[in-house]
Amino acid sequence: MARAPDAESLLDLTREKLVVLDEAGEYTYLNAATRGVLGFDPETLIGTDAFALVHPEDEKRIRAAFRELAEGRGDGTETLEYRYETAAGDWLWLRSRIYAPSETDIDGYVVSSRDVTEEVESIRRLETIVSTSTDVLWMFDAEWSELLFVSDTVEDVFGISRATLERDPRAFLNRVYPADRPNVERKMRQLSDGHSTTIEYRVEPDDGEIRWVRVPGEPVQEDGEVVAVAGFARDITDEYRQKRQLEVMDNLLRHTIRNDMNVVIGTAERILEATTTEETTKIPVMDETGRSDVESNGTDGDETDRNGTNGDGPTVSDEVDVEAAARTVRRVADDLLDTAEKQRDVIELLSRGGSPQPVDIEPVVREVIAEMRAERPAGEFSVSCPSDVTAFALPELDYAVAELVRNAAEHTDTTPVVEVDVGRTDTDVRITVRDNCPPIPIEERRIIADRWEMDDLRHTVGMGLWLAYWVAERSDGDLAFDTVGDGNVVTIIVPREDCPG
């Protein structure tokens, strides 16, 4: 029967350098791997100062760390990286794990070391390459439990040091704006599961100034298994400031449009009040460009051909009464004001750039339906929604649902019939709005779905549909269209809150 090997024989077979130091830091034991790693015979180092061969630039740091461990400070273990001299006089990088006697019940400090020269030099080369970049390059293991690399710019952008991240790889989450943190953690899980991601979120460095960063990430896979996650963070604060400036300019323009339209509406109301059924005043019809029949014929209004027309322009019979014209002015002005308000909502949504968060769906859809019932009591509005559906979406999801329901109520030719039905799959929440409106033009549906480009001949004015689409898209979801025999079916698709990614 074969004799069981003793522990020392097994230790000599390992490829890692295993040694034991006394309290003074001198070698009391070295395994056989010492010869392969350093080139020294283990016996020649017994009783020598283990730190004498540490690189002069690293020696003070390593001695201090060992002294803290010997004095009982810390948790009884320490991991260190440093340069160490070989028997040939070369330098290699060691990554060592030191265990205090309280951790091993061995009389001395056990040090397990492995040669990480190739790894460290690769990182150093990468650091040299990225030293000119203002982006924060980073790499973690797949569980986000070990920092593999981060560029020095992490302190400029996040206000956190590399040393802090080495001790606690998830410490950067403490710098993420609280409202954005759930979405950041969600994207971290997606990366660990092997999916590419891009996210924009806010960080709060120590200086108190909130900054925006854009962070693309990629999983690193070997043999189909995610072994690391990598990416970069770019400070886009200036970009968001520019968006904010555009939003301010839009507000100014919208304010001007609203004031001017109010003047137009007021004038139309006064015209209507002054118009009587007994006496009707006639005015010229405006063409699509806003020109009157006289202007569109290129005449000065005094030249009329023998048929009573100005060239090929409209005849006197094309004139309409003041009351009808005033009502048209009022309707168009109301539509412009409504469009301006929706434009504001869209621009605020795109400029604000908020993060998805848990949204309880039932209160959202029931409140929207209640508001529409109050506005249009003659309409038929119904809702079907389980009580425990939670989506992971932008808070503006209620705007998107309200726009779809309002559009359905406003564009029907008869009494509006609108049904809102909420369902869910393993990964998504689906909010479906069915109506009895004429079919949404296919051009509008395809434009919103990014299948066609807008141009002068083919464009859309469905601001409410755009708002719903962008809310869904920025929630990592989608907007789907379908038609039924007597109406449309529009579905907002957003992730479930309890889906890991």
Side-chain angles (χ1 to χ4, degrees), residues 285-355:
V285 173
M286 297 294 180
D287 64 16
E288 292 181 353
T289 66
R291 295 178 301 171
S292 69
D293 56 343
V294 174
E295 294 170 329
S296 62
N297 283 300
T299 67
D300 58 10
D302 293 330
E303 298 179 8
T304 304
D305 62 18
R306 282 173 292 181
N307 294 321
T309 67
N310 295 320
D312 296 327
T315 65
V316 175
S317 62
D318 289 318
E319 294 175 340
V320 297
D321 61 64
V322 171
E323 182 178 357
R327 293 187 185 281
T328 299
V329 169
R330 185 174 60 182
R331 176 182 55 79
V332 173
D334 285 338
D335 289 345
L336 283 173
L337 282 176
D338 183 59
T339 299
E341 291 302 313
K342 289 182 180 179
Q343 177 193 8
R344 178 201 60 183
D345 293 338
V346 169
I347 290 180
E348 284 184 354
L349 170 67
L350 298 180
S351 300
R352 189 162 50 242
S355 293

Side-chain angles (χ1 to χ4, degrees), residues 116-127 129 149:
V116 293
T117 304
E118 184 176 347
E119 177 184 335
V120 171
E121 289 183 348
S122 296
I123 291 176
R124 295 294 184 270
R125 287 193 293 269
L126 179 59
E127 288 176 336
I129 293 172
F149 172 79

Side-chain angles (χ1 to χ4, degrees), residues 166-359:
E166 288 173 345
R167 290 192 299 269
D168 180 8
R170 290 175 174 259
F172 74 92
L173 285 171
N174 297 330
R175 302 294 187 180
V176 178
Y177 193 74
D180 299 341
R181 201 170 298 158
N183 199 32
V184 173
E185 293 174 332
R186 184 183 179 87
K187 294 295 185 180
M188 291 167 63
R189 293 194 296 270
Q190 287 181 342
L191 276 174
S192 297
D193 290 340
H195 304 287
S196 300
T197 65
T198 298
I199 183 174
E200 294 179 3
Y201 59 89
R202 291 160 288 186
V203 297
E204 294 184 288
D206 283 333
D207 58 16
E209 180 185 0
I210 294 179
R211 298 175 185 169
W212 280 93
V213 293
R214 178 178 296 124
V215 186
E218 291 289 339
V220 180
Q221 303 190 31
E222 292 182 3
D223 300 326
E225 180 182 356
V226 179
V227 297
V229 291
F232 66 90
R234 174 167 296 170
D235 188 336
I236 57 171
T237 305
D238 289 343
E239 180 180 327
Y240 267 85
R241 285 173 178 164
Q242 291 173 359
K243 287 182 179 180
R244 181 59 180 166
Q245 291 165 357
L246 290 175
E247 181 180 0
V248 171
M249 290 303 299
D250 170 74
N251 286 338
L252 291 174
L253 290 174
R254 186 170 49 84
H255 177 75
T256 301
I257 291 174
R258 183 170 60 245
N259 287 347
D260 290 347
M261 288 299 100
N262 284 334
V263 172
V264 171
I265 292 173
T267 303
E269 293 290 351
R270 288 193 296 272
I271 294 173
L272 286 173
E273 292 173 0
T275 302
T276 63
T277 56
E278 291 80 8
E279 182 178 353
T280 301
T281 306
K282 302 293 183 177
I283 62 171
V285 173
M286 297 294 180
D287 64 16
E288 292 181 353
T289 66
R291 295 178 301 171
S292 69
D293 56 343
V294 174
E295 294 170 329
S296 62
N297 283 300
T299 67
D300 58 10
D302 293 330
E303 298 179 8
T304 304
D305 62 18
R306 282 173 292 181
N307 294 321
T309 67
N310 295 320
D312 296 327
T315 65
V316 175
S317 62
D318 289 318
E319 294 175 340
V320 297
D321 61 64
V322 171
E323 182 178 357
R327 293 187 185 281
T328 299
V329 169
R330 185 174 60 182
R331 176 182 55 79
V332 173
D334 285 338
D335 289 345
L336 283 173
L337 282 176
D338 183 59
T339 299
E341 291 302 313
K342 289 182 180 179
Q343 177 193 8
R344 178 201 60 183
D345 293 338
V346 169
I347 290 180
E348 284 184 354
L349 170 67
L350 298 180
S351 300
R352 189 162 50 242
S355 293
Q357 55 189 260
V359 178

Side-chain angles (χ1 to χ4, degrees), residues 414-447:
T414 61
T415 300
V417 178
V418 183
E419 302 175 5
V420 177
D421 181 71
V422 178
R424 55 190 166 189
T425 67
D426 292 340
T427 58
D428 300 320
V429 172
R430 297 172 179 255
I431 306 171
T432 300
V433 179
R434 297 180 177 86
D435 62 41
N436 61 337
C437 298
I440 299 172
I442 191 170
E443 293 85 357
E444 291 201 16
R445 286 184 276 154
R446 289 182 175 177
I447 289 172

